[in-house]
Amino acid sequence: MPHRYVVLNDGHVVVEFWTGQVTHDELLAHEHRHLSDPSIKAGAAVLVDAERAQFGTTTDEIKDVVALYGQVVGRLKVGRMALLVNKETYQRALIFLKEVEGYGVKVIVFSTLDVACTWLGLDVEVVRNELVMLREKVG
């Protein structure tokens, strides 16, 4: 499994770690599970560390992912999302950002964990520790 996530602060924070090759189907399955996870509270802050991942989703297929957000309008779990991505993923992340904001999700693409955590109002050391544990689980 190239990704894992943990829900913190009684469902108000989600930390995700992605690594390796991620197919479009894997991304869709994750988003579907994530958006329907009962442990995540409405308006949660989400930090996605995808710096070590290569996504197989094309720019056209990003609309498939964003469509999932449209299906949960009114009960959307994500409020703000900070994406940490590599150069290869950056352009697709910007497309995702622009598309998903139409559903009320605030997304910003960051290059450093510290700045992303500051924007989300999260303790960077807590997030770092969670990412270490997630990396160990992914292997």
Side-chain angles (χ1 to χ4, degrees), residues 1-6 14-19 30 33 47 49 131 133-139:
M1 180 183 296
H3 63 281
R4 293 270 182 166
Y5 71 90
V6 63
V14 179
V15 178
E16 297 182 21
F17 175 71
W18 294 80
T19 188
H30 162 78
R33 184 175 59 252
L47 182 125
D49 180 349
L131 286 170
M133 289 187 282
L134 290 171
R135 285 183 195 118
E136 290 171 359
K137 289 179 183 178
V138 171

Side-chain angles (χ1 to χ4, degrees), residues 5-66:
Y5 71 90
V6 63
V7 180
L8 307 169
N9 296 3
D10 296 320
H12 296 284
V13 175
V14 179
V15 178
E16 297 182 21
F17 175 71
W18 294 80
T19 188
Q21 280 299 130
V22 181
T23 68
H24 180 63
D25 289 340
E26 287 172 324
L27 181 59
L28 282 175
H30 162 78
E31 289 295 335
H32 180 71
R33 184 175 59 252
H34 181 257
L35 291 170
S36 62
D37 187 331
S39 68
I40 301 172
K41 304 293 185 225
V46 180
L47 182 125
V48 179
D49 180 349
E51 291 181 301
R52 295 173 184 88
Q54 296 81 42
F55 291 87
T57 298
T58 66
T59 54
D60 288 337
E61 290 173 326
I62 291 170
K63 292 180 182 180
D64 296 342
V65 176
V66 173

Side-chain angles (χ1 to χ4, degrees), residues 81-93:
M81 182 183 295
L83 301 174
L84 294 168
V85 299
N86 53 45
K87 285 188 249 181
E88 293 78 24
T89 306
Y90 182 75
Q91 288 302 320
R92 283 174 279 179

Side-chain angles (χ1 to χ4, degrees), residues 50-132:
E51 291 181 301
R52 295 173 184 88
Q54 296 81 42
F55 291 87
T57 298
T58 66
T59 54
D60 288 337
E61 290 173 326
I62 291 170
K63 292 180 182 180
D64 296 342
V65 176
V66 173
L68 294 174
Y69 285 76
Q71 294 172 9
V72 293
V73 169
R75 54 188 200 287
L76 188 61
K77 304 279 185 156
V78 180
R80 292 186 303 154
M81 182 183 295
L83 301 174
L84 294 168
V85 299
N86 53 45
K87 285 188 249 181
E88 293 78 24
T89 306
Y90 182 75
Q91 288 302 320
R92 283 174 279 179
L94 291 180
I95 293 168
F96 173 77
L97 175 157
K98 288 178 182 162
E99 294 286 329
V100 82
E101 283 187 334
Y103 296 115
V105 180
K106 297 289 182 204
V107 181
I108 297 183
V109 180
F110 291 94
S111 58
T112 66
L113 181 63
D114 295 0
V115 177
C117 287
T118 298
W119 183 72
L120 289 172
L122 304 177
D123 183 319
V124 70
E125 291 308 316
V126 169
V127 171
R128 262 197 192 99
N129 290 336
E130 292 297 334
L131 286 170
V132 166

